[in-house]
Amino acid sequence: MHVFVTGATGWVGSAIVKDLIAAGHTVSGLSRSADKAIALLASGARAVTGSLEDFAVLQQAAMEADAVIHTAFNHDFIQGNLGNDFSKFLESAALDQRVIEFLGKVLSGSDRPLLVTSGLSGLPLGAIETDLPNPAAPRKPELAAQAVAERGVRAATVRLAPSVHGLGDYGFIPVLVRLARQTGLSAYLDDGSNCWSGVHRDDAARIYRLALETGVTERVYHAVADEAVPFRQIAEVIGRQLGLPVEPRPREHFGWFASMAGGTMAASSARTRAVLGWAPAGPDLLSDLDQPDYYAA
């Protein structure tokens, strides 16, 4: 099939593009810059120049595709480790919701599926795919996808683990690594017993493809390989690799990242594994982090 991917040059999106092409599909990817368009072309995909604000571009690309995968999210609100512009985050979240609703309208009346991307924040420990998202969360991609599905579109959500890891990672783990380097210690909140889930980038990408190939039969898929990794263990690996002490610190130490550092974002992927025949093949989170190359940047 021909798949249109937003965020096609991002950490997860680029892995999805690679996986789709390797499996024989064709891909069009949204690109905000000429440099990223060149990278897309080199991967074997077709570059669609534009941004999430270019609804005419999104409409044309979605109309030409057999399926749409939405992974893009504007992270321009992040201002270093200890600060972010929450108003800009809210703007990004609102745009994300509008894009999902718009893509749903474009696909309405067809059998072409839409996969959107969310996370595990606000879900209970050990959450399963049928657990409902947190309605109070400022970012609501899953609720937008549900609304689209209620209008007859074959829409579903892939919930990503908080750590989608792999060499070259520029997600949440690198935030912790930079903070450890800046402060001279690798920290955790309270006793560090709160848990994160993890999934290797390539394993996460494969879930999107398998969901499309199996007809998007579910409303939610969990991209989770390691279901519950205590945050203190993550801090300990980072500290060991950087040669820094590992100690508890109050929320102020983590700045804007405190809710993530102290949060429990750990879920089951049993149903996703069963319905997709998905079995993670990449290294587990702690093993991946426990190699010097992860800290080369």
Side-chain angles (χ1 to χ4, degrees):
M1 67 183 76
H2 177 70
V3 185
F4 173 50
V5 181
T6 72
T9 60
W11 177 243
V12 175
S14 58
I16 293 170
V17 170
K18 178 181 176 181
D19 186 78
L20 287 169
I21 291 174
H25 303 289
T26 59
V27 176
S28 295
L30 187 67
S31 172
R32 291 197 296 179
S33 70
D35 289 346
K36 291 183 177 181
I38 291 172
L40 264 177
L41 292 170
S43 73
R46 180 170 73 88
V48 176
T49 303
S51 70
L52 291 179
E53 290 88 353
D54 297 323
F55 278 33
V57 172
L58 296 178
Q59 181 177 18
Q60 185 64 35
M63 288 176 62
E64 294 174 352
D66 300 312
V68 177
I69 294 176
H70 174 53
T71 69
F73 189 81
N74 189 344
H75 290 88
D76 293 346
F77 61 90
I78 296 177
Q79 301 175 337
N81 281 338
L82 298 179
N84 68 24
D85 187 332
F86 189 66
S87 65
K88 286 189 175 180
F89 170 74
L90 292 177
E91 290 175 7
S92 295
L95 176 61
D96 185 45
Q97 190 167 350
R98 290 198 304 272
V99 168
I100 294 169
E101 292 168 350
F102 180 76
L103 290 171
K105 290 179 181 178
V106 175
L107 298 175
S108 180
S110 74
D111 196 39
R112 293 173 294 157
L114 169 64
L115 290 177
V116 308
T117 305
S118 187
L120 302 177
S121 182
L123 294 168
L125 177 66
I128 60 176
E129 290 83 347
T130 54
D131 283 326
L132 298 177
N134 179 7
R139 187 178 175 187
K140 306 179 187 296
E142 188 171 338
L143 294 176
Q146 288 177 355
V148 167
E150 289 169 1
R151 295 197 298 268
V153 178
R154 199 142 53 97
T157 301
V158 177
R159 292 173 179 163
L160 293 174
S163 177
V164 182
H165 55 88
L167 294 181
D169 184 359
Y170 52 87
F172 292 142
I173 294 296
V175 171
L176 295 171
V177 172
R178 289 195 299 270
L179 184 60
R181 283 176 165 147
Q182 291 171 4
T183 61
L185 63 92
S186 182
Y188 54 89
L189 273 167
D190 300 323
D191 63 356
S193 62
N194 62 294
C195 292
W196 279 17
S197 289
V199 64
H200 190 272
R201 175 194 185 198
D202 293 338
D203 289 324
R206 200 163 67 255
I207 282 184
Y208 288 84
R209 173 174 60 81
L210 291 173
L212 293 183
E213 291 177 345
T214 55
V216 187
T217 59
E218 307 296 302
R219 289 291 181 92
V220 173
Y221 300 90
H222 278 182
V224 170
D226 300 306
E227 294 189 358
V229 181
F231 190 86
R232 180 170 180 168
Q233 292 183 16
I234 296 172
E236 288 170 347
V237 173
I238 292 173
R240 180 167 63 250
Q241 283 293 330
L242 296 179
L244 296 174
V246 180
E247 301 175 6
R249 283 294 184 272
R251 293 180 65 86
E252 291 74 19
H253 175 87
F254 295 91
W256 71 271
F257 201 67
S259 294
M260 292 292 295
T264 289
M265 295 167 283
S268 167
S269 59
R271 181 166 179 81
T272 297
R273 294 174 190 238
V275 298
L276 297 183
W278 177 72
D284 64 80
L285 173 58
L286 295 180
S287 296
D288 214 10
L289 298 186
D290 204 10
Q291 52 178 326
D293 286 348
Y294 219 96
Y295 307 84

